Amino acid sequence: MIGLIVALFSVLLPLAHLALSKVPRTRARVVRLLLLYALVLDVGVIGLPLGFVPHVFFADETARSIGWAPGSPFQFEVGVHDGAWGVLGFLCIWIRGAFWLATGLGWSLFMLGATYGHIEQTLRAGDYAPYNFLTIFSDGFIALWLLLLLYLWRRWDADKDEQR
């Protein structure tokens, strides 16, 4: 599933970036880069091209892939929601400081709720459709990964970042 691939890239790409970079690898820099990639990929990419586009422009096909009945107007709302968060994820490239905290925390809470919803659909309705069942793992990982990185960033680097 594509969400799992994006989540994997959000960990591997910054590690490659760090390995190829000649800038010293302080723990603050490592966490900052991991967090930036997570915000751009796990929020931006999953929100805009992978959330907004399918839910808005391919609503019936997306509903079927989740195990839902096609034709729900809720698809449009979910798509716009995902797209708005996706824009925030991409803006993290240029806007730093507390914006990162707000974007990461908000998306993490949404992803925890989505994980719960997918687990409930799997257990109650027996919905093992790929974009319901496998999303449990990508959404859950992304939520916990972002929360961990935000914690470490606030602990080790936020003060320095806000002074720049």
Side-chain angles (χ1 to χ4, degrees):
M1 176 163 120
I2 195 141
L4 290 170
I5 294 168
V6 172
L8 181 64
F9 278 148
S10 77
V11 176
L12 296 179
L13 288 176
L15 294 178
H17 180 141
L18 288 162
L20 296 172
S21 175
K22 295 185 191 299
V23 178
R25 286 180 214 104
T26 64
R27 72 180 178 186
R29 181 163 186 273
V30 169
V31 167
R32 189 180 329 116
L33 265 177
L34 285 167
L35 180 57
L36 177 59
Y37 275 82
L39 290 166
V40 172
L41 294 173
D42 294 337
V43 181
V45 171
I46 287 185
L48 197 57
L50 299 180
F52 173 77
V53 172
H55 282 290
V56 171
F57 297 107
F58 306 100
D60 289 346
E61 295 87 355
T62 301
R64 281 189 210 75
S65 72
I66 300 170
W68 297 346
S72 169
F74 187 65
Q75 287 281 88
F76 182 78
E77 290 181 36
V78 170
V80 171
H81 170 271
D82 286 354
W85 280 103
V87 168
L88 297 177
F90 285 119
L91 285 174
C92 288
I93 295 169
W94 301 281
I95 304 171
R96 309 268 171 146
F99 188 81
W100 280 16
L101 180 63
T103 301
L105 187 58
W107 186 251
S108 293
L109 294 174
F110 167 65
M111 292 302 255
L112 287 173
T115 301
Y116 172 80
H118 290 298
I119 291 170
E120 185 177 38
Q121 275 297 108
T122 300
L123 296 176
R124 286 192 185 198
D127 182 356
Y128 287 91
Y131 283 88
N132 181 65
F133 181 70
L134 293 176
T135 305
I136 293 168
F137 304 102
S138 58
D139 289 2
F141 170 78
I142 288 168
L144 297 175
W145 180 237
L146 277 171
L147 289 171
L148 172 65
L149 291 173
L150 287 167
Y151 169 77
L152 294 173
W153 174 70
R154 292 299 293 176
R155 182 174 177 169
W156 293 334
D157 194 43
D159 292 334
K160 293 177 201 161
D161 194 47
E162 290 176 4
Q163 291 173 2
R164 282 181 237 157

